[in-house]
Amino acid sequence: MALQPCKILSLISPNQFLIQTQQQKTIVVGNGIPNFLMRNKLNINQKAIDIYFQQFKFINKEASYIPKTNQLQINGAELQEEIPDETEIHLKLIGVQNEEPKQTQPVLDFIKQYRNKSLNAILVSFEENILNFLYNNDTLISLIPSAIYIDEFAIQDQGYSKLMQKEWLNKEFNITFKGTQIMTINYQKNFIHFPILKADLYPTSQKSNELNNEFYSSLISNGYAFITDWGKLNLSQNSFQLLFNNQEEAKKNNLGLWKNGELDRRMLNSVSSQIIGQIVEIIEANQYLIKTDKEILTIKLDRIFIEGLEAKEYARKLLIGKQVHILQVGDNMPLQTIQLCDNNLDIEEELIVNGWATAKENHPQLSKFKYQQFQQMNLLAKQKKIGQYSSELTWRIEDQTDQKQGKSVNEIIWSSIQRDKQSLKQSAMNTGITIKDDTQLEVLIDKILPNGQFVITILKYHSMVNFTIQGIAKLSEFATSFPNVIKYEEQRQQFSYKILMQRNAWINFESFNILENMFYGKIYEKKNNKESDFTLQLLKQGLTFIKNNTDYYSKYEEAQKEAEKLKKGFWNESYAQFIIDFSQNKQTLKKQISNQGNIYKNENQQIQKVIVTAVNDCNEFYLRTEINPEFEELEIQIENAALIPLKKPVKKGTLCLARFSEDNRIYRAQVLQAFKNDKFLIKFIDYGNNDEVSYQDMGVLPAQFTNVPQQAKLCSLAYLRFPPSSHEFAEEASDILRELLLDQQFDSKIAYTEKSFNRQFVTLQPQDKPDELQFTINKIALEQGLGRIDNRVLYNPFKEFKNYEIEAKANGIGIWGFDDCLDDEKQFEDEFDYYE
C-alpha cells in the first residue's frame, strides 16, 4: 500500500482534510459531512462536532496519504473516526437571512449586546461573500467584513476557495461588530426585512491590528476583494495605505475582479451576470418589477431620488418590456441596480443625465467619487433645461376613474369621440375617399384588474378612465356556480398583464355607460391592424368566450373553436360547453330586431318536433325538443340528487338546483333575484318558467349535471311584430298566445336568429298539418290581430298574407281595436319602434 508524505493544511469537516503533498498539490481527503456548520444546517450531530474539535490538533501536522483508500495516517494510526448516529444539538444562528421576520429579534438583541465590543471565534465555513464563525461551540455567527467587500464575480474563481481553505479555515479571529445593514427581499409575495452583521475582523495570530491586516491583504492582493468606503474612512492610515497598495498591484496585474481592467463595478458584473430579467411593470420612476426565470423581483434604485408622473413615463418608455441585467452596486451588502442588456445602458446614470433624478447625498452605499459623478451629470441636465428642469412638462394626467369625479368629464370625452367619428364619416362621404379606421385612439394601459377591467390613459385627452373589452364574457360571472373557473380569470389577468401592462395600445371606443362610468370597445396592439385585436388572443387561449355577436364575429368564432379543439383554458372543464350554451340562451328579450344586419337567416330550415314549456309574454316564449333521451336520463339523476346548501350570500346569476313548488321535483335553475327572508326568484333553465323558492329548496349544481346543454330555447314567432310591454293590448295578447302555445306540441322551423341575444325566430304549426305557412300559429296570430307583419325582414313571406292584417285592422281586432292607434300611430312609437 503506497503512502505519500503530506502536510495537513485545514479541517473542512469531521473526517475531511485539506492536505498538501510533497509535489505542492492541494487535495481534499476523506468523506466528511457535506455543508457542515453552514447556515442551512444547524442541527449538528453531537459526536460529529466533538470529533471536529479533536481533529483540530492535526492541523499543520505531517501525515501520510493513502490514495487508494483516500485516507490519512499519522504514525500508522488512521485519522478518520466513525461517527455514530447520536443526539443532535441545535446551534444558535446570528446575523443571517431569516425567512420569518420574528426570527430577526435575537440578531438585534445580540448586536445591542456586542456593538463595538470584541469576541474571538473560529472561521468554520464560507458561503460566497458571507463568512461563518463558530462561537462558544453553540452559536454560528454569519457576517460580512466591513472594511473589504468580497466580490461575487471574483469568487467564482476556484482560487478563492483554495485560498480560504488553505490559509484561513479553522483560524481564530478577533471580531468587532460595527452594526447591521437591513436588507429587504420579496419572499413569497411578502416583503421581509432581515439584518446582516457587519464587523471588523483580524486573525488573533496577528499581534496588532494596526498593521496591514493579513486576512484582508491576502484577499485584496489576489483580486478577490476591494476596499470599501467604510474601510477608507475607518482603517488606520498605515493599514489603509498597505491595503491600497495591494489593491493597485492586483489591478495592475489584472487579477480576480480586475482581470478585465478597472471597470465600473456594474459594467463588470453585467458581463458575467447570471441574473437577467424582463421589466414587467414600472411601480414608480425608480422602482420596477422584474421577471426572471425563477421569480419576480422588486428592484428599487435607492441611491437616487426621483418622483412625478413625467419621470415615471420617461422610465416606462425606456424600460417596459426590456431585458435587463440585475447588478450589485455599493459596498458590503450591496444594493441592486439594472442595465439594459442590448447596450449596457446604466439606468441610474440615464435618469440623472436626462434630468429626471438626483443623487442622494451621504447615502451609505454611494461612494464620494460616484456621488460627484452623479452631481456633475445633474448639473449638465440643469444647464440644458431637460427633464424636470424643463419649462414644458406635458405629462398631465387627470384621474377620471372615480364614479363621482369622472362621470361628467367622461361624458364630454365620449361626446368628443362620437363627434370625431362622425366628422371622419362625413369627410369620407364628401371626398369619396375611403379612410382607414383612424377613430382608434392611442392609450396607455395603466392597470389590469382581476375582474377583466382595465384602467387606461387616453393620451389625447390626458385622462385616466375605466375600460372593458366589448362582446366577451368574464368567467368570474360563473364563479359562484363553478368556483374553480376563477383560476382561468386569474390566468386571463396574468396573460393580459404580460402583453399589455404599461404598453401603448390602440382602442376603438364603442360605447360609454354613464351609470358604471365605464367605456367599452376593442383593444389593438397595433394601429389599424385587426389581426392585433387582443380579443382574438384571449379567445385563442380559452380565457373567455364570445358573448355578443359583432361585425368581426367569424374571426372570433374561429379563434374560439381553435381553443375548444385544443382544450385550452376553461375548455378543459367538463362544464365549459354548458356555460357557453347557457350564456347564449339566458338573455331576456330587450328589443325587437332593429335591422337586417342583426339577424342570421337560416337557409336550411329543418323541421323539429318541439313542446312549448313557458310563455312569458307575446314576445318571449321557450321551447325544447320533444324527444331527448339523454336529457330525460339526466332529469332522473337530478330528481334523485341531494341539495347541497349554496354558499351565502347567493348572488344573482348563480346556477343551481331548485325544487319547483308545484310538483316538488328538483330541476336545474338560475337565480334571477334575491328577496328578504332567504327567498329567491329563480328560472328553470330547461323549461323557461320562473318560481319563488326558499334557500332550503336550493342547492349546488354539480359539474356532472352540466354535460347536457340548457334545453329551453328563447324564441319569438317569425315574420311578425308584437306589441311591446308598454302597449295597452300587450297583456291580453300574451294571454291569448299562452292559450295557443303552452304545453302544446308543434313542428318547428327556425327562420332566422337574432345576433345580439341568440334568440330564435320560429314558425310553429300543429304536427298533423302540412308544412305550409298558412297552417302556422304565426298566421293565426296575424289573423287574430296579436301582431302585425314585420316589414324590416328583407324577404318576408308573410307579405302574401297582407290582406289578413288589413282585415283585422278594418274590424278593430286585437291591437287594431284601440282608437288612438288608428288616429295617429306615430303617437305611440316607443323604444321598440313598433309602429311604422
Side-chain angles (χ1 to χ4, degrees), residues 615 617-618 729-741:
V615 180
D617 58 43
C618 55
F729 183 62
E731 186 173 348
E732 185 177 346
S734 299
D735 289 339
I736 296 173
L737 197 64
R738 194 173 286 112
E739 292 180 7
L740 290 172
L741 298 181

Side-chain angles (χ1 to χ4, degrees), residues 459-518:
L459 301 182
K460 180 177 180 179
Y461 302 109
H462 300 275
S463 292
M464 187 180 294
V465 302
N466 298 314
F467 178 81
T468 297
I469 297 177
Q470 183 93 340
I472 56 175
K474 299 174 185 176
L475 296 179
S476 55
E477 296 174 3
F478 306 93
T480 305
S481 306
F482 307 104
N484 73 330
V485 81
I486 201 68
K487 69 181 179 182
Y488 300 110
E489 196 70 69
E490 293 171 354
Q491 289 178 18
R492 170 175 168 175
Q493 183 187 15
Q494 294 167 4
F495 181 76
S496 301
Y497 181 93
K498 179 181 178 181
I499 296 176
L500 295 178
M501 181 62 185
Q502 292 187 331
R503 304 299 207 281
N504 288 78
W506 298 86
I507 287 183
N508 269 345
F509 289 92
E510 298 177 357
S511 62
F512 172 64
N513 187 316
I514 188 172
L515 296 178
E516 299 175 348
N517 199 34
M518 181 72 65

Side-chain angles (χ1 to χ4, degrees), residues 709-722:
Q710 173 188 353
Q711 296 297 293
K713 304 295 183 182
L714 173 62
C715 297
S716 285
L717 290 177
Y719 308 124
L720 301 175
R721 299 180 73 186
F722 291 92

Side-chain angles (χ1 to χ4, degrees), residues 303-315:
R303 304 194 303 178
I304 60 175
F305 178 79
I306 184 171
E307 65 178 8
L309 283 176
E310 292 90 353
K312 182 178 179 181
E313 175 61 7
Y314 179 84

Side-chain angles (χ1 to χ4, degrees), residues 91-345:
L91 298 178
K92 299 175 185 176
L93 183 61
I94 299 297
V96 298
Q97 174 179 335
N98 295 277
E99 294 181 352
E100 296 182 17
K102 63 183 181 180
Q103 296 178 351
T104 65
Q105 192 57 46
V107 181
L108 300 177
D109 294 341
F110 185 88
I111 290 300
K112 185 176 180 181
Q113 179 183 356
Y114 284 97
R115 184 181 298 277
N116 292 323
K117 295 181 181 178
S118 298
L119 55 82
N120 291 344
I122 298 171
L123 179 64
V124 291
S125 63
F126 51 92
E127 303 169 69
E128 296 182 346
N129 59 354
I130 294 180
L131 308 178
N132 298 319
F133 294 85
L134 189 63
Y135 173 67
N136 261 359
N137 292 352
D138 65 355
T139 302
L140 191 68
I141 302 174
S142 293
L143 55 81
I144 57 174
S146 55
I148 66 170
Y149 178 69
I150 302 173
D151 186 75
E152 292 99 329
F153 175 73
I155 64 178
Q156 294 176 14
D157 189 337
Q158 292 183 354
Y160 169 74
S161 296
K162 291 180 179 178
L163 173 68
M164 292 295 292
Q165 290 174 344
K166 181 179 179 180
E167 301 291 340
W168 302 111
L169 200 61
N170 314 134
K171 298 296 191 295
E172 185 180 64
F173 282 76
N174 180 272
I175 303 172
T176 304
F177 296 101
K178 297 299 181 182
T180 60
Q181 180 171 336
I182 302 299
M183 299 295 293
T184 302
I185 62 168
N186 189 343
Y187 178 76
Q188 294 183 352
K189 298 184 178 180
N190 293 313
F191 287 100
I192 297 174
H193 308 280
F194 62 90
I196 293 293
L197 289 184
K198 295 197 295 185
D200 191 16
L201 59 150
Y202 67 92
T204 55
S205 59
Q206 185 174 332
K207 294 181 180 180
S208 173
N209 61 351
E210 291 299 318
L211 300 175
N212 179 21
N213 187 305
E214 295 174 359
F215 174 64
Y216 295 162
S217 179
S218 67
L219 294 178
I220 289 177
S221 61
N222 284 281
Y224 299 134
F226 58 89
I227 307 171
T228 66
D229 287 341
W230 187 95
K232 295 173 185 177
L233 297 174
N234 293 279
L235 290 172
S236 67
Q237 182 61 35
N238 181 52
S239 183
F240 170 73
Q241 191 60 50
L242 289 171
L243 291 177
F244 180 77
N245 292 340
N246 290 335
Q247 184 168 293
E248 292 302 301
E249 190 68 21
K251 289 181 183 180
K252 180 180 177 181
N253 295 323
N254 296 324
L255 299 178
L257 65 97
W258 313 109
K259 70 179 182 179
N260 291 322
E262 186 177 356
L263 302 176
D264 183 277
R265 293 299 307 125
R266 287 158 297 168
M267 183 65 76
L268 180 64
N269 273 322
S270 72
V271 175
S272 62
S273 173
Q274 298 302 310
I275 305 179
I276 296 178
Q278 181 186 35
I279 303 281
V280 293
E281 184 176 344
I282 311 296
I283 301 173
E284 297 294 344
N286 66 333
Q287 188 174 10
Y288 322 114
L289 286 185
I290 303 179
K291 187 178 186 302
T292 69
D293 291 339
K294 299 180 179 178
E295 58 188 333
I296 294 181
L297 302 174
T298 302
I299 303 296
K300 184 175 183 180
L301 308 182
D302 194 56
R303 304 194 303 178
I304 60 175
F305 178 79
I306 184 171
E307 65 178 8
L309 283 176
E310 292 90 353
K312 182 178 179 181
E313 175 61 7
Y314 179 84
R316 183 192 70 83
K317 288 182 176 179
L318 178 68
L319 296 173
I320 194 69
K322 300 290 182 63
Q323 292 287 325
V324 294
H325 294 285
I326 301 174
L327 311 174
Q328 309 293 334
V329 294
D331 297 335
N332 298 327
M333 281 303 291
L335 299 176
Q336 292 173 313
T337 187
I338 58 174
Q339 286 180 343
L340 289 177
C341 288
D342 56 356
N343 58 6
N344 282 332
L345 186 68

